[in-house]
């Protein structure tokens, strides 16, 4: 069985939606507004986001985007830096990886 739907509570829907579309290629499914959005990836995963207050994810909670190569991880990292996002360089950990706090308040890992 494949996981095909995830819902995130976010502090600000539009910037979170834009971030995921810009850097990870998610597509807007429509039907949203300033308080909710519905995105889909190339494999059919639907990611919904709803505006919330007092959001508190556990410290280790994150979503991840696994890339095919270290070069792809480096490219996403460089694009984020060029766009003014405060992101650390990738490092060798459990893979070639970096984490970034997305607009809306959730943590994203990019790795290969």
């Amino acid at each position: 069985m494949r996981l095909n739907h995830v819902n995130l509570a976010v502090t600000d829907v539009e910037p979170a939606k834009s971030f995921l579309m810009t850097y990870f290629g998610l597509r807007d499914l429509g039907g949203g507004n300033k308080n909710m959005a519905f995105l889909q990836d190339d494999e059919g995963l639907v990611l919904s986001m709803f505006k919330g207050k007092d959001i508190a994810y556990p410290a280790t909670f994150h979503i991840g985007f696994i890339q095919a190569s270290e070069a792809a991880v480096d490219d996403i990292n460089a694009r984020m830096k060029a766009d003014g996002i405060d992101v650390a360089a990738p490092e060798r950990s459990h893979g070639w990886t970096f984490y970034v706090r997305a607009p809306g308040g959730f943590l994203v890992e990019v790795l290969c």
Side-chain angles (χ1 to χ4, degrees):
M1 185 176 303
R2 183 175 62 86
L3 176 65
N4 56 19
H5 175 68
V6 175
N7 181 72
L8 296 174
V10 298
T11 57
D12 198 349
V13 172
E14 285 298 321
K17 178 176 118 176
S18 179
F19 177 83
L20 293 170
M21 291 173 67
T22 299
Y23 298 106
F24 304 107
L26 276 69
R27 297 176 308 282
D28 188 353
L29 291 175
N33 57 43
K34 70 178 186 168
N35 295 314
M36 64 182 168
F38 306 96
L39 304 175
Q40 189 170 42
D41 72 6
D42 292 337
E43 301 298 320
L45 173 93
V46 174
L47 188 144
S48 59
M49 293 180 289
F50 286 81
K51 184 173 182 160
K53 295 188 310 185
D54 302 321
I55 300 164
Y57 286 112
T60 59
F61 175 84
H62 63 278
I63 63 171
F65 293 92
I66 299 172
Q67 303 299 303
S69 68
E70 291 184 5
V73 172
D74 291 341
D75 179 62
I76 294 169
N77 186 271
R79 287 176 46 221
M80 287 181 180
K81 283 182 182 175
D83 289 343
I85 296 173
D86 182 20
V87 60
E91 61 182 33
R92 184 104 22 233
S93 180
H94 50 281
W96 187 241
T97 186
F98 71 92
Y99 292 85
V100 61
R101 183 74 51 193
F106 56 97
L107 192 62
V108 174
E109 180 181 17
V110 182
L111 73 153
C112 80

